[in-house]
Amino acid sequence: MMYLFLRPVSKSLSIVALIVGLSSCASKDVSEEPSVPSLVGKNTGYGETSINGPVPQNPEMRLSSDFSRMSATSISSGSRSRKLIALTFDDGPNPSHTPRLLDMLRRRNVKATFYVTGERAANHPDIIRRIVSEGHEIGNHTWTHPNLKKLSDDRVRRELNKTRDAIVNACGVQPRTMRPPYGSMYQKQREWVYREYGYPIVLWDVDPLDWKKPGPSVVAQRLISGTRNGSILLVHDLHGSSVDAMPQTIDTLLRKGYQFVTVSQLIAQKSVAAR
Ligand code: NI
């Protein structure tokens, strides 16, 4: 309940920001503009999008997310026939970078998928609730981020169960997919996890190696040049420089006509295409 009482404070701030943003189109008086730039740190370009022009909107949020007819246990991209893509963020939530990222996504009406580790989810349930309440999807990325190929089935189960429970405790929503740390999982493990949990194993086809911290513009360029229809983009919201790359990445991909959907929606479209 605490959350319900706290959230309206920032919601009303964002409404104020919207009203000020709209009225500034007609009038030059922006004296009451709230300090939005302080949310974005060094990324000075971020605040300009809504001021200088219309923000590109994501029109595909009513897509189905039913993938019950899916046949494969693992997936690294969606259907190549439509310009739908999924932005995924791993290893969070991070108390400073993830809220900043959520602000960027909300401003653009872009929905993403967060593969959180259970340990961090348990430490930051407020961020987990915000992720879900803003229309994003949460996936299971294990509790301690181990290489699952080195674990017994029972240890894998414990990793998945504890993480699922932390997510459900925080936001009341079950994760629907999982991503193995390092993408590392035997085919046998993929099959029994899919059987027991119903989780498709979600990998990726665009990896900017952002964890090596090559800088926001390099991360953005790698993501933009690697993306095609159905792509699943791998980013880590654990790193500030990766989050800094998002405005350029998202705005460019929106201008190229891509529509951002969650992983479940992307999978559902693929299973529709396969029928
Ligand atoms: Ni990871």
Side-chain angles (χ1 to χ4, degrees):
M1 286 310 287
M2 179 85 113
Y3 173 72
L4 291 175
F5 285 106
L6 287 175
R7 290 307 305 158
V9 174
S10 70
K11 268 186 189 160
S12 61
L13 272 181
S14 66
I15 290 166
V16 170
L18 180 64
I19 292 167
V20 170
L22 288 173
S23 65
S24 69
C25 298
S27 128
K28 290 289 176 196
D29 181 14
V30 291
S31 56
E32 288 181 25
E33 188 165 17
S35 54
V36 172
S38 68
L39 296 172
V40 299
K42 289 177 188 166
N43 186 5
T44 52
Y46 165 50
E48 292 172 12
T49 308
S50 63
I51 295 169
N52 290 344
V55 179
Q57 296 288 297
N58 173 10
E60 286 290 352
M61 287 321 300
R62 275 176 292 176
L63 286 175
S64 157
S65 61
D66 173 17
F67 48 81
S68 56
R69 290 187 181 84
M70 184 184 171
S71 54
T73 54
S74 55
I75 183 168
S76 54
S77 71
S79 162
R80 301 294 188 190
S81 64
R82 293 182 65 187
K83 296 194 85 159
L84 302 176
I85 56 176
L87 196 47
T88 65
F89 296 99
D90 283 20
D91 300 355
N94 173 284
S96 57
H97 303 311
T98 307
R100 199 158 65 86
L101 169 63
L102 288 168
D103 290 342
M104 295 171 179
L105 297 173
R106 185 174 56 186
R107 184 167 286 205
R108 292 162 176 80
N109 190 25
V110 159
K111 308 304 175 191
T113 304
F114 291 78
Y115 285 98
V116 300
T117 59
E119 233 167 6
R120 289 178 190 277
N123 285 335
H124 303 289
D126 52 331
I127 304 180
I128 298 294
R129 282 195 288 276
R130 182 177 167 193
I131 289 172
V132 169
S133 71
E134 295 189 352
H136 307 291
E137 182 173 342
I138 296 206
N140 193 326
H141 197 44
T142 74
W143 185 262
T144 57
H145 207 271
N147 181 346
L148 297 182
K149 284 185 174 177
K150 296 184 175 170
L151 300 191
S152 68
D153 288 355
D154 271 351
R155 289 274 308 280
V156 172
R157 254 178 221 111
R158 278 208 293 278
E159 289 278 338
L160 294 177
N161 288 346
K162 279 182 80 175
T163 304
R164 177 197 59 202
D165 293 349
I167 293 169
V168 170
N169 285 340
C171 67
V173 173
Q174 292 266 358
R176 303 184 65 200
T177 68
M178 78 154 290
R179 172 172 283 163
Y182 320 105
S184 172
M185 209 173 174
Y186 289 118
Q187 180 59 27
K188 255 194 164 163
Q189 293 176 307
R190 297 176 189 206
E191 286 167 8
W192 75 252
V193 165
Y194 184 60
R195 253 195 334 271
E196 283 188 26
Y197 293 83
Y199 295 158
I201 314 304
V202 176
L203 302 172
W204 56 86
D205 68 335
V206 185
D207 180 1
L209 302 177
D210 61 314
W211 54 272
K212 292 186 178 177
K213 301 187 180 175
S217 62
V218 173
V219 171
Q221 281 314 315
R222 287 175 180 169
L223 288 168
I224 292 161
S225 63
T227 295
R228 55 197 186 109
N229 289 2
S231 279
I232 298 176
L233 286 64
L234 171 66
V235 188
H236 296 80
D237 57 334
L238 196 59
H239 307 306
S241 57
S242 302
V243 171
D244 288 340
M246 288 304 104
Q248 187 190 345
T249 303
I250 295 169
D251 291 343
T252 304
L253 292 173
L254 283 168
R255 281 189 203 103
K256 288 182 165 205
Y258 289 107
Q259 295 164 357
F260 290 84
V261 296
T262 67
V263 160
S264 289
Q265 289 173 320
L266 196 71
I267 293 174
Q269 298 314 298
K270 186 167 193 172
S271 65
V272 167
R275 282 206 290 274

